[in-house]
Amino acid sequence: MENTGENLAQLNWDYPNPHSVKVQVHGDDIDQLGHANNRVYLNWIMTAAYAHSERLGLSVNDYLNIGVAMVAKRHELNYVAATFVNDELIVGTWIATNDNRFNSQRKYQIIRLTDDKTILRAETDWVSMNIKNGKPQRMPEEFIRCYQPTILM
């Protein structure tokens, strides 16, 4: 998975200015039915979320140093079309909400490059959690600053 420099404005995004990464479907992504397995889509969106977080200034190492992390509370994946070996895809992600306390939501869209077709829409609800005790903890200032919504409604 790599950051893409392609002209994203030409793609049919649900929202403007996504953070995006390019992926290609590999043979080991394919299940017994001949298309990319469901688990692979979750890996792709999580990788895009972590890459976006790093671009915004917060890496996993920062989480460990702070002692607080944003952890997935709920994923919703809506499959629109199948993908196959060698399909090139762009995974776009946006921060949809942040209550500046405990919760935020991120949205995702995956587009196949050959036909500009949306093949998945998804969202993740995140919660700020203390790494040592596993309990929710108010977002540190770094989280509030970095995780502001990128979808302006």
Side-chain angles (χ1 to χ4, degrees):
M1 193 174 287
E2 62 186 46
N3 284 328
T4 179
E6 298 188 32
N7 189 352
L8 298 177
Q10 292 180 3
L11 296 176
N12 191 23
W13 294 112
D14 292 341
Y15 309 99
N17 304 314
H19 174 79
S20 63
V21 292
K22 185 176 180 181
V23 299
Q24 184 172 15
V25 181
H26 298 288
D28 58 350
D29 296 330
I30 303 302
D31 63 18
Q32 300 89 335
L33 300 177
H35 54 75
N37 187 277
N38 296 344
R39 69 174 161 68
V40 177
Y41 294 89
L42 180 59
N43 288 338
W44 290 334
I45 67 170
M46 292 298 293
T47 300
Y50 289 133
H52 188 208
S53 186
E54 285 188 19
R55 193 185 104 220
L56 294 171
L58 286 169
S59 68
V60 173
N61 285 335
D62 293 319
Y63 284 174
L64 295 172
N65 289 333
I66 296 167
V68 179
M70 294 301 290
V71 298
K73 180 179 177 182
R74 181 188 71 87
H75 295 292
E76 179 180 315
L77 284 75
N78 296 295
Y79 303 95
V80 179
T83 58
F84 306 94
V85 171
N86 296 325
D87 278 352
E88 291 186 339
L89 312 171
I90 299 291
V91 183
T93 184
W94 305 263
I95 298 171
T97 64
N98 182 339
D99 69 4
N100 295 329
R101 296 174 52 228
F102 296 97
N103 302 293
S104 70
Q105 184 185 72
R106 182 178 284 279
K107 292 186 180 284
Y108 314 87
Q109 181 180 3
I110 300 179
I111 296 176
R112 184 173 36 231
L113 286 175
T114 56
D115 58 3
D116 192 23
K117 181 168 182 59
T118 294
I119 56 106
L120 177 120
R121 287 186 175 89
E123 54 189 50
T124 301
D125 292 335
W126 298 89
V127 64
S128 178
M129 186 168 292
N130 183 294
I131 293 171
K132 287 187 180 177
N133 66 23
K135 294 181 180 177
Q137 179 173 324
R138 277 188 171 274
M139 287 183 198
E141 284 301 316
E142 298 94 328
F143 289 22
I144 294 169
R145 184 178 62 254
C146 289
Y147 293 138
Q148 286 303 299
T150 58
I151 297 175
L152 305 174
M153 297 193 188

